[in-house]
Amino acid sequence: MRVLVVEDELLLADAIAEWLREETHAVDLAHDGEAALERIAVNDYDVVVLDRDLPRVHGDDVCRELVASERDARVLMLTAAAQLDDRVTGLSLGADDYLSKPFAFPELAARVLALGRRSRPAVPPVLRRAGITLDPARREVFRNGRFVPLAKKEFAVLTELMRANGNVVSAEQLLEKAWDEHADPFTGAVRLTILKLRRKLADPPVVETVPGVGYRIS
């Protein structure tokens, strides 16, 4: 998934991003509300992890603008305020979930994954197609009962292809969801990842190239 982490505490922001990247998500960072709104305007995020107390533009206002924009991104609001009134206020602004600081990173990752499933048309928690079983929560893939060890980008790309349920996914869409904003669209990273994925999934071939359009699992 593509995640935006908006947090003005630099060390905490880096720690959250590192943890989520270990979970195979593509993560962008913003350290104030103004930068967050700039990124939201140009990127399609599945989840925005949003600190409430931000400089320049307050997190409440970022949340309001995101909701008003009618984008599909889900909002996980972070705050040091743990009182019931604060949680109610955050949710009433349009946040989808609320997590008080300090928090455990595994819990944050689990909440991000749950919100990501809600940011798109509903899909099963475990994805199955063409003999492939993919469990996003456990980060496990099996092909005809055989465990398939995948690198992070390979897992992220396969997840997008499985979510598409047989529909074609363009290279641009894969780049958007599996890589962050620093990815160079001309590196051939998607093509190389697809080649590695095909090799690891083994025969019979399952990832089909649709010339000039993209890829799908037939």
Side-chain angles (χ1 to χ4, degrees):
M1 294 186 298
R2 187 76 177 270
V3 181
L4 175 64
V5 174
V6 191
E7 170 60 63
D8 63 325
E9 296 180 38
L10 302 188
L11 292 178
L12 178 57
D14 288 342
I16 294 172
E18 182 178 355
W19 189 278
L20 292 177
R21 286 169 182 148
E22 286 296 318
E23 298 290 317
T24 74
H25 304 307
V27 182
D28 296 335
L29 282 172
H31 299 304
D32 61 68
E34 183 178 312
L37 290 174
E38 290 174 355
R39 283 164 174 76
I40 290 167
V42 297
N43 297 309
D44 291 325
Y45 294 104
D46 296 293
V47 179
V48 177
V49 179
L50 178 66
D51 182 42
R52 191 172 180 190
D53 297 314
L54 292 171
R56 298 195 178 181
V57 179
H58 195 275
D60 289 357
D61 295 320
V62 174
C63 187
R64 287 191 188 95
E65 291 204 31
L66 179 56
V67 172
S69 71
E70 297 185 349
R71 290 178 174 267
D72 292 331
R74 301 291 181 172
V75 177
L76 172 58
M77 188 170 280
L78 304 178
T79 181
Q83 299 299 317
L84 176 60
D85 288 347
D86 295 302
R87 296 198 298 272
V88 170
T89 299
L91 294 171
S92 68
L93 293 169
D96 299 279
D97 200 359
Y98 198 101
L99 191 58
S100 300
K101 299 177 182 178
F103 52 81
F105 285 109
E107 180 181 5
L108 181 141
R111 288 175 183 250
V112 167
L113 182 60
L115 288 176
R117 287 200 296 263
R118 292 164 51 190
S119 71
R120 313 186 200 182
V123 295
V126 177
L127 305 173
R128 294 181 174 87
R129 187 173 185 83
I132 300 171
T133 300
L134 185 148
D135 187 333
R138 294 178 179 272
R139 283 185 288 159
E140 291 181 343
V141 174
F142 292 85
R143 175 85 191 274
N144 296 325
R146 176 183 63 87
F147 177 70
V148 182
L150 297 180
K152 296 174 189 175
K153 295 303 181 189
E154 294 160 4
F155 186 91
V157 167
L158 181 59
T159 300
E160 293 303 315
L161 293 174
M162 293 286 283
R163 282 178 176 271
N165 198 30
N167 293 315
V168 177
V169 183
S170 70
E172 291 76 14
Q173 288 173 304
L174 292 173
L175 196 67
E176 171 76 21
K177 294 299 182 183
W179 281 264
D180 61 26
E181 63 185 349
H182 302 294
D184 183 349
F186 302 106
T187 61
V190 172
R191 183 179 60 82
L192 181 60
T193 301
I194 291 287
L195 290 174
K196 292 179 178 178
L197 192 56
R198 284 175 173 148
R199 184 172 65 249
K200 290 186 177 181
L201 290 172
D203 292 331
V206 68
V207 180
E208 177 187 354
T209 299
V210 181
V213 183
Y215 307 91
R216 68 182 172 197
I217 294 179
S218 54

PDB file of all heavy atoms in Angstrom, residues 22-41:
ATOM      1  N   GLU A  22       9.136  -2.077   6.475  1.00  0.00           N
ATOM      2  CA  GLU A  22       9.400  -3.489   6.769  1.00  0.00           C
ATOM      3  C   GLU A  22       8.150  -4.335   6.536  1.00  0.00           C
ATOM      4  O   GLU A  22       8.248  -5.539   6.278  1.00  0.00           O
ATOM      5  CB  GLU A  22       9.876  -3.650   8.222  1.00  0.00           C
ATOM      6  CG  GLU A  22      11.294  -3.193   8.476  1.00  0.00           C
ATOM      7  CD  GLU A  22      12.309  -4.031   7.705  1.00  0.00           C
ATOM      8  OE1 GLU A  22      12.148  -5.264   7.654  1.00  0.00           O
ATOM      9  OE2 GLU A  22      13.253  -3.435   7.138  1.00  0.00           O
ATOM     10  N   GLU A  23       6.977  -3.690   6.642  1.00  0.00           N
ATOM     11  CA  GLU A  23       5.705  -4.371   6.374  1.00  0.00           C
ATOM     12  C   GLU A  23       5.350  -4.358   4.886  1.00  0.00           C
ATOM     13  O   GLU A  23       4.222  -4.662   4.508  1.00  0.00           O
ATOM     14  CB  GLU A  23       4.587  -3.706   7.183  1.00  0.00           C
ATOM     15  CG  GLU A  23       4.774  -3.778   8.693  1.00  0.00           C
ATOM     16  CD  GLU A  23       4.594  -5.190   9.224  1.00  0.00           C
ATOM     17  OE1 GLU A  23       3.654  -5.873   8.785  1.00  0.00           O
ATOM     18  OE2 GLU A  23       5.394  -5.611  10.072  1.00  0.00           O
ATOM     19  N   THR A  24       6.306  -3.941   4.061  1.00  0.00           N
ATOM     20  CA  THR A  24       6.232  -3.913   2.587  1.00  0.00           C
ATOM     21  C   THR A  24       5.418  -2.750   2.027  1.00  0.00           C
ATOM     22  O   THR A  24       5.090  -2.729   0.844  1.00  0.00           O
ATOM     23  CB  THR A  24       5.686  -5.239   1.981  1.00  0.00           C
ATOM     24  OG1 THR A  24       4.281  -5.334   2.193  1.00  0.00           O
ATOM     25  CG2 THR A  24       6.397  -6.450   2.558  1.00  0.00           C
ATOM     26  N   HIS A  25       5.072  -1.749   2.842  1.00  0.00           N
ATOM     27  CA  HIS A  25       4.345  -0.595   2.330  1.00  0.00           C
ATOM     28  C   HIS A  25       5.317   0.424   1.715  1.00  0.00           C
ATOM     29  O   HIS A  25       6.472   0.535   2.140  1.00  0.00           O
ATOM     30  CB  HIS A  25       3.561   0.091   3.453  1.00  0.00           C
ATOM     31  CG  HIS A  25       2.614  -0.819   4.174  1.00  0.00           C
ATOM     32  ND1 HIS A  25       1.677  -1.578   3.509  1.00  0.00           N
ATOM     33  CD2 HIS A  25       2.461  -1.102   5.498  1.00  0.00           C
ATOM     34  CE1 HIS A  25       0.984  -2.292   4.385  1.00  0.00           C
ATOM     35  NE2 HIS A  25       1.449  -2.031   5.588  1.00  0.00           N
ATOM     36  N   ALA A  26       4.837   1.174   0.742  1.00  0.00           N
ATOM     37  CA  ALA A  26       5.574   2.326   0.223  1.00  0.00           C
ATOM     38  C   ALA A  26       5.208   3.528   1.083  1.00  0.00           C
ATOM     39  O   ALA A  26       4.024   3.823   1.253  1.00  0.00           O
ATOM     40  CB  ALA A  26       5.208   2.584  -1.232  1.00  0.00           C
ATOM     41  N   VAL A  27       6.210   4.213   1.621  1.00  0.00           N
ATOM     42  CA  VAL A  27       5.950   5.255   2.617  1.00  0.00           C
ATOM     43  C   VAL A  27       6.588   6.577   2.206  1.00  0.00           C
ATOM     44  O   VAL A  27       7.779   6.630   1.886  1.00  0.00           O
ATOM     45  CB  VAL A  27       6.492   4.844   4.005  1.00  0.00           C
ATOM     46  CG1 VAL A  27       6.166   5.918   5.048  1.00  0.00           C
ATOM     47  CG2 VAL A  27       5.906   3.502   4.441  1.00  0.00           C
ATOM     48  N   ASP A  28       5.780   7.640   2.223  1.00  0.00           N
ATOM     49  CA  ASP A  28       6.273   9.001   2.065  1.00  0.00           C
ATOM     50  C   ASP A  28       6.176   9.715   3.409  1.00  0.00           C
ATOM     51  O   ASP A  28       5.357   9.347   4.256  1.00  0.00           O
ATOM     52  CB  ASP A  28       5.447   9.773   1.027  1.00  0.00           C
ATOM     53  CG  ASP A  28       5.566   9.170  -0.370  1.00  0.00           C
ATOM     54  OD1 ASP A  28       6.584   8.507  -0.642  1.00  0.00           O
ATOM     55  OD2 ASP A  28       4.638   9.364  -1.171  1.00  0.00           O
ATOM     56  N   LEU A  29       7.008  10.752   3.586  1.00  0.00           N
ATOM     57  CA  LEU A  29       7.048  11.484   4.848  1.00  0.00           C
ATOM     58  C   LEU A  29       6.735  12.963   4.631  1.00  0.00           C
ATOM     59  O   LEU A  29       7.120  13.561   3.624  1.00  0.00           O
ATOM     60  CB  LEU A  29       8.427  11.368   5.497  1.00  0.00           C
ATOM     61  CG  LEU A  29       8.769  10.067   6.220  1.00  0.00           C
ATOM     62  CD1 LEU A  29      10.240  10.073   6.626  1.00  0.00           C
ATOM     63  CD2 LEU A  29       7.892   9.891   7.433  1.00  0.00           C
ATOM     64  N   ALA A  30       6.034  13.543   5.595  1.00  0.00           N
ATOM     65  CA  ALA A  30       5.833  14.992   5.668  1.00  0.00           C
ATOM     66  C   ALA A  30       5.961  15.387   7.140  1.00  0.00           C
ATOM     67  O   ALA A  30       5.498  14.657   8.014  1.00  0.00           O
ATOM     68  CB  ALA A  30       4.473  15.392   5.117  1.00  0.00           C
ATOM     69  N   HIS A  31       6.587  16.539   7.394  1.00  0.00           N
ATOM     70  CA  HIS A  31       6.849  16.934   8.778  1.00  0.00           C
ATOM     71  C   HIS A  31       6.022  18.132   9.231  1.00  0.00           C
ATOM     72  O   HIS A  31       6.211  18.633  10.346  1.00  0.00           O
ATOM     73  CB  HIS A  31       8.336  17.219   8.969  1.00  0.00           C
ATOM     74  CG  HIS A  31       9.205  16.021   8.694  1.00  0.00           C
ATOM     75  ND1 HIS A  31       9.047  14.815   9.343  1.00  0.00           N
ATOM     76  CD2 HIS A  31      10.220  15.844   7.809  1.00  0.00           C
ATOM     77  CE1 HIS A  31       9.937  13.953   8.898  1.00  0.00           C
ATOM     78  NE2 HIS A  31      10.652  14.543   7.959  1.00  0.00           N
ATOM     79  N   ASP A  32       5.119  18.588   8.373  1.00  0.00           N
ATOM     80  CA  ASP A  32       4.194  19.644   8.769  1.00  0.00           C
ATOM     81  C   ASP A  32       2.934  19.526   7.916  1.00  0.00           C
ATOM     82  O   ASP A  32       2.906  18.820   6.911  1.00  0.00           O
ATOM     83  CB  ASP A  32       4.833  21.037   8.641  1.00  0.00           C
ATOM     84  CG  ASP A  32       5.257  21.373   7.217  1.00  0.00           C
ATOM     85  OD1 ASP A  32       4.369  21.546   6.362  1.00  0.00           O
ATOM     86  OD2 ASP A  32       6.472  21.447   6.958  1.00  0.00           O
ATOM     87  N   GLY A  33       1.882  20.230   8.337  1.00  0.00           N
ATOM     88  CA  GLY A  33       0.606  20.108   7.657  1.00  0.00           C
ATOM     89  C   GLY A  33       0.619  20.629   6.236  1.00  0.00           C
ATOM     90  O   GLY A  33      -0.063  20.083   5.352  1.00  0.00           O
ATOM     91  N   GLU A  34       1.386  21.669   5.993  1.00  0.00           N
ATOM     92  CA  GLU A  34       1.450  22.228   4.640  1.00  0.00           C
ATOM     93  C   GLU A  34       2.066  21.234   3.666  1.00  0.00           C
ATOM     94  O   GLU A  34       1.560  21.016   2.561  1.00  0.00           O
ATOM     95  CB  GLU A  34       2.269  23.515   4.672  1.00  0.00           C
ATOM     96  CG  GLU A  34       2.356  24.248   3.347  1.00  0.00           C
ATOM     97  CD  GLU A  34       3.128  25.539   3.455  1.00  0.00           C
ATOM     98  OE1 GLU A  34       2.846  26.329   4.384  1.00  0.00           O
ATOM     99  OE2 GLU A  34       4.030  25.754   2.620  1.00  0.00           O
ATOM    100  N   ALA A  35       3.170  20.611   4.075  1.00  0.00           N
ATOM    101  CA  ALA A  35       3.811  19.608   3.222  1.00  0.00           C
ATOM    102  C   ALA A  35       2.892  18.410   3.009  1.00  0.00           C
ATOM    103  O   ALA A  35       2.865  17.815   1.925  1.00  0.00           O
ATOM    104  CB  ALA A  35       5.132  19.157   3.843  1.00  0.00           C
ATOM    105  N   ALA A  36       2.130  18.049   4.034  1.00  0.00           N
ATOM    106  CA  ALA A  36       1.195  16.937   3.907  1.00  0.00           C
ATOM    107  C   ALA A  36       0.153  17.213   2.831  1.00  0.00           C
ATOM    108  O   ALA A  36      -0.131  16.355   1.983  1.00  0.00           O
ATOM    109  CB  ALA A  36       0.509  16.676   5.248  1.00  0.00           C
ATOM    110  N   LEU A  37      -0.422  18.407   2.855  1.00  0.00           N
ATOM    111  CA  LEU A  37      -1.445  18.758   1.870  1.00  0.00           C
ATOM    112  C   LEU A  37      -0.868  18.766   0.452  1.00  0.00           C
ATOM    113  O   LEU A  37      -1.550  18.385  -0.510  1.00  0.00           O
ATOM    114  CB  LEU A  37      -2.053  20.115   2.212  1.00  0.00           C
ATOM    115  CG  LEU A  37      -2.940  20.137   3.467  1.00  0.00           C
ATOM    116  CD1 LEU A  37      -3.361  21.563   3.796  1.00  0.00           C
ATOM    117  CD2 LEU A  37      -4.175  19.247   3.272  1.00  0.00           C
ATOM    118  N   GLU A  38       0.390  19.191   0.308  1.00  0.00           N
ATOM    119  CA  GLU A  38       1.028  19.187  -1.012  1.00  0.00           C
ATOM    120  C   GLU A  38       1.159  17.766  -1.541  1.00  0.00           C
ATOM    121  O   GLU A  38       0.885  17.497  -2.715  1.00  0.00           O
ATOM    122  CB  GLU A  38       2.406  19.848  -0.919  1.00  0.00           C
ATOM    123  CG  GLU A  38       2.350  21.352  -0.671  1.00  0.00           C
ATOM    124  CD  GLU A  38       3.727  21.945  -0.437  1.00  0.00           C
ATOM    125  OE1 GLU A  38       4.708  21.158  -0.367  1.00  0.00           O
ATOM    126  OE2 GLU A  38       3.826  23.178  -0.315  1.00  0.00           O
ATOM    127  N   ARG A  39       1.551  16.834  -0.680  1.00  0.00           N
ATOM    128  CA  ARG A  39       1.713  15.447  -1.116  1.00  0.00           C
ATOM    129  C   ARG A  39       0.364  14.791  -1.397  1.00  0.00           C
ATOM    130  O   ARG A  39       0.218  14.029  -2.350  1.00  0.00           O
ATOM    131  CB  ARG A  39       2.495  14.656  -0.071  1.00  0.00           C
ATOM    132  CG  ARG A  39       3.993  14.942  -0.118  1.00  0.00           C
ATOM    133  CD  ARG A  39       4.716  14.476   1.123  1.00  0.00           C
ATOM    134  NE  ARG A  39       6.157  14.624   0.988  1.00  0.00           N
ATOM    135  CZ  ARG A  39       6.795  15.785   1.086  1.00  0.00           C
ATOM    136  NH1 ARG A  39       6.119  16.902   1.316  1.00  0.00           N
ATOM    137  NH2 ARG A  39       8.113  15.844   0.954  1.00  0.00           N
ATOM    138  N   ILE A  40      -0.619  15.082  -0.570  1.00  0.00           N
ATOM    139  CA  ILE A  40      -1.956  14.508  -0.765  1.00  0.00           C
ATOM    140  C   ILE A  40      -2.550  14.972  -2.088  1.00  0.00           C
ATOM    141  O   ILE A  40      -3.294  14.242  -2.748  1.00  0.00           O
ATOM    142  CB  ILE A  40      -2.868  14.888   0.420  1.00  0.00           C
ATOM    143  CG1 ILE A  40      -2.420  14.132   1.684  1.00  0.00           C
ATOM    144  CG2 ILE A  40      -4.326  14.594   0.115  1.00  0.00           C
ATOM    145  CD1 ILE A  40      -3.044  14.651   2.962  1.00  0.00           C
ATOM    146  N   ALA A  41      -2.200  16.194  -2.501  1.00  0.00           N
ATOM    147  CA  ALA A  41      -2.750  16.744  -3.742  1.00  0.00           C
ATOM    148  C   ALA A  41      -2.231  16.032  -4.983  1.00  0.00           C
ATOM    149  O   ALA A  41      -2.907  16.019  -6.020  1.00  0.00           O
ATOM    150  CB  ALA A  41      -2.439  18.243  -3.830  1.00  0.00           C
TER     151      ALA A  41
END
